[in-house]
Amino acid sequence: MKPWKVVSLILFALAVAAAGYGLTLVRRGFSALATPSAIEEFAATTARKLAVPSAYRQLRNPIMPSTENIRGGMEHFAYHCATCHSDDGGGHTVYGKGLYPKPPDLRAAGTQNKSDGELYYTIENGVRLSGMPAFHGTHTDPQTWRLVLFIRHLPQITPEELNEMKAWDPKSEANPAHF
């Protein structure tokens, strides 16, 4: 068979597969409640990896891990991030469960294996087509770097720290400023 015929057949097969997948999506709907398909998950993961400029992957956190710095990140996280990510970083909140794609478990290897710069970039720039907003201009650099420290701390968070965070969470009834 001639090479152009092979290429044409492959392109035709890909077009049929894409049309079939598109039809399935349309018939199933675009509900945020659905679990992403393997194709959607692969596309989102790949896009997220490509979205972080390589220069950021090399960045290291300039703020040293200390009890004070981690606590600063913890307080900031409770106020700004826990609504979607939950105090423990697992993402099991009313808002987190309703987002599509769901917020990642910040304690899991998928997040913990990212470089400091990748986490910083994500906080600063957000993630398109997801619920993750960009915080550039609303967080200072030190605040963002403290958040990175706290995200690194999440796998070891203690019950006492989680209890303390409830008082800082603006949505928590434990917060005296809660309306």
Side-chain angles (χ1 to χ4, degrees), residues 136-169:
H136 178 76
T138 61
H139 289 45
T140 64
D141 280 345
Q143 286 173 323
T144 302
W145 285 117
R146 283 188 197 98
L147 283 173
V148 171
L149 285 177
F150 179 68
I151 290 167
R152 296 278 187 233
H153 176 72
L154 279 170
Q156 297 87 33
I157 197 162
T158 66
E160 293 79 23
E161 289 171 321
L162 288 171
N163 222 15
E164 190 175 4
M165 288 178 75
K166 287 180 184 167
W168 296 327
D169 186 338

Side-chain angles (χ1 to χ4, degrees), residues 21 37 62 71 77 89 93 117 162 176:
Y21 184 70
S37 70
R71 184 178 167 84
F77 186 93
T93 68
L162 288 171

